[in-house]
Amino acid sequence: MATTGPIDLLPQLTRTGSAQSAATPRAGHSRARRIATYVLFGLAILVIWESVKFVGGVPWRFQNVLGTDIDIEHFPPFRWPFASDLNLPHWFNILAALAAPVQRNAEASLGQFLVGAAFYTWREAVIGFIVGALLGLLLATVFVHSRLAERAFVPYVVASQTIPIVALAPMIVFAFGPNVTSVVVIATYLTFFPVTIAMIRGLRAPDPRALELMRSYAAGRWAIYRKLRLPASMPYLFTALKIAATASIVGAIIGEGPGGIPNGLGRAIINFNQQYITGPEKLWAAILVASLLGVTFFVMIRALELIALRGRPGAAEG
């Protein structure tokens, strides 16, 4: 039986190193293409937005164009009610509203007000996100180590998500009171489910042969969990956390309405919705900031994933 020495392994190691070196530029190019795709997608949305208003929006008129005493009048061939300036403002008017005062004679701009509200909502969402992630990890750990508990309680975990959060939020506020605790509970409710389901699968991901090897060395459940199951489940965990990050933002915004929180994005959206007739751009700006908050939280979890899973195959492609 032939043995393999260091010299025999040298070509293989060289090929492996070359493959890893080649994979790094490919990963960089793939990331650049992905970013370019997102940018082009955003620009396409803006072009379609303005094209719809140009074809079916409100007529407009430019007077004395560039000082030439030439007037340009535009009467669209269609009149679509959803494309009016009230229902669908120009995107540049929405951006301009961010620089305008949040209220008449107010010192703070709308953008400053919404950024402050976004930070307040994000703090609530982070607390719910952490609590929900820990709860989901705990439940998944129990279910993986107890088939009886899994069969008994997983159906109830799944059924808990069939209740609309809009209907459940007032009940939670009634139970815990109109305060930040209610908002955190709602964010936790939306966070724990994806982590629980993903980690049930992730904690069972290790190769059965590795489990048998650990048991052959008399490793206990805790040692197997810490050294084998948990490391193998990290890709599943981060996939769930990216879903939970955006869900926690949604839960916090929804909870701030019945929770009576005056400083978050939820209350801002409700207030600007009541003032929509006089300033539709404010509501659209609040929605824009809320969506950017969710995207930012997602990107933060993605960056943490790249750091935690660096060196693993496919980590840079998630």
Side-chain angles (χ1 to χ4, degrees):
M1 181 176 177
T3 59
T4 302
I7 297 179
D8 299 321
L9 292 176
L10 184 57
Q12 180 180 353
L13 294 175
T14 304
R15 288 194 300 270
T16 303
S18 300
Q20 292 177 348
S21 300
T24 302
R26 284 199 298 269
H29 292 318
S30 176
R31 191 176 298 111
R33 285 197 301 270
R34 192 178 299 116
I35 294 174
T37 300
Y38 293 152
V39 172
L40 291 176
F41 180 75
L43 292 176
I45 290 178
L46 297 181
V47 170
I48 294 174
W49 186 310
E50 289 302 321
S51 298
V52 168
K53 292 191 64 64
F54 186 83
V55 174
V58 178
W60 46 262
R61 179 178 181 181
F62 286 154
Q63 297 180 341
N64 192 20
V65 179
L66 298 178
T68 58
D69 295 330
I70 297 177
D71 297 341
I72 297 179
E73 297 183 1
H74 169 65
F75 295 93
F78 305 101
R79 296 299 300 271
W80 297 327
F82 72 88
S84 67
D85 289 343
L86 181 63
N87 295 328
L88 192 70
H90 291 282
W91 63 266
F92 45 82
N93 287 338
I94 297 174
L95 296 182
L98 290 171
V102 61
Q103 293 179 346
R104 184 176 300 176
N105 299 325
E107 295 182 359
S109 67
L110 177 63
Q112 292 173 326
F113 171 78
L114 291 176
V115 168
F119 273 109
Y120 191 91
T121 299
W122 181 73
R123 288 194 296 266
E124 298 169 333
V126 166
I127 298 174
F129 173 81
I130 294 174
V131 175
L134 293 176
L135 177 61
L137 180 59
L138 176 62
L139 291 175
T141 302
V142 172
F143 295 153
V144 165
H145 289 93
S146 174
R147 293 284 185 175
L148 178 61
E150 181 181 9
R151 290 195 297 268
F153 294 106
V154 166
Y156 294 100
V157 171
V158 176
S160 69
Q161 301 301 303
T162 62
I163 305 175
I165 189 60
V166 176
L168 189 61
M171 299 173 60
I172 295 176
V173 172
F174 180 78
F176 293 91
N179 48 45
V180 175
T181 302
S182 300
V183 179
V184 172
V185 170
I186 294 171
T188 300
Y189 170 80
L190 291 182
T191 300
F192 89 98
F193 177 74
V195 176
T196 302
I197 299 304
M199 287 303 290
I200 290 175
R201 178 68 181 87
L203 292 173
R204 290 179 176 151
D207 192 326
R209 294 172 296 180
L211 289 172
E212 290 299 327
L213 179 62
M214 292 286 289
R215 289 171 182 147
S216 68
Y217 283 99
R221 284 189 173 185
W222 170 244
I224 294 175
Y225 179 84
R226 181 170 55 89
K227 297 181 179 180
L228 184 60
R229 289 189 184 274
L230 198 57
S233 67
M234 286 295 103
Y236 298 87
L237 175 61
F238 278 103
T239 299
L241 291 180
K242 287 184 287 188
I243 298 173
T246 55
S248 66
I249 298 294
V250 173
I253 291 175
I254 293 176
E256 286 173 345
I261 305 300
N263 302 319
L265 283 175
R267 178 56 58 179
I269 290 175
I270 292 175
N271 291 338
F272 292 146
N273 180 61
Q274 296 171 347
Q275 306 168 8
Y276 189 81
I277 297 298
T278 59
E281 296 85 3
K282 292 183 178 181
L283 178 60
W284 281 91
I287 295 173
L288 174 63
V289 172
S291 62
L292 291 177
L293 178 61
V295 171
T296 302
F297 200 7
F298 176 91
V299 171
M300 292 171 62
I301 300 301
R302 174 58 179 157
L304 183 61
E305 179 186 18
L306 291 175
I307 295 173
L309 301 183
R310 62 182 182 276
R312 292 198 183 190
E317 301 176 1

